[in-house]
Amino acid sequence: MLTAEIHEAAAELGRSLNQAPAVSAYRTTRAALDADPGALALMEKLRRLQQAFIAAQQSGESAAPDAMEDLRLVQAEVRHNEVIMAHLRASNEVKAFLPLVAAEVSRELGADYAKLIAPTSC
């Protein structure tokens, strides 16, 4: 069980992270993406086309020219979708920010935070 002091420190860290510009932007852009059925459908279409392309490569087949063209067209649509692109930029920013947070937590703990929270195998 956590001591009150550790619990309060963890809660304060959570509040601070929630207010950090990178996290705030991520949450805002994620909400906008979730609220846009067209953008979600486009992302799902891209995911399906990418998976089909990868599956073809892994099986040693070449992707059909029309499948490649479909993939290129959907990629272009994604690049021109402001909601998706804002979310991807925010995702990249939060991915760069969180390791900095982990490093700061590690310094405060005097131990490698990432190793402490990493899953262990049997």
Side-chain angles (χ1 to χ4, degrees), residues 26-36 87:
Y26 173 81
R27 291 168 50 102
T28 299
T29 61
R30 181 72 225 189
L33 180 63
D34 288 342
D36 187 333
H87 178 64

Side-chain angles (χ1 to χ4, degrees), residues 13 16-17 97-114:
L13 175 62
S16 294
L17 286 175
F97 172 69
L98 291 177
L100 299 174
V101 172
E104 190 169 328
V105 169
S106 292
R107 277 192 300 279
E108 291 296 319
L109 290 174
D112 187 341
Y113 175 69

Side-chain angles (χ1 to χ4, degrees), residues 45 68 114:
K45 185 175 183 180
M68 289 295 299

Side-chain angles (χ1 to χ4, degrees), residues 47-63:
R47 186 188 64 74
R48 282 193 319 270
L49 290 170
Q50 287 173 330
Q51 285 179 334
F53 178 77
I54 291 167
Q57 281 188 323
Q58 288 176 341
S59 67
E61 300 172 15
S62 295

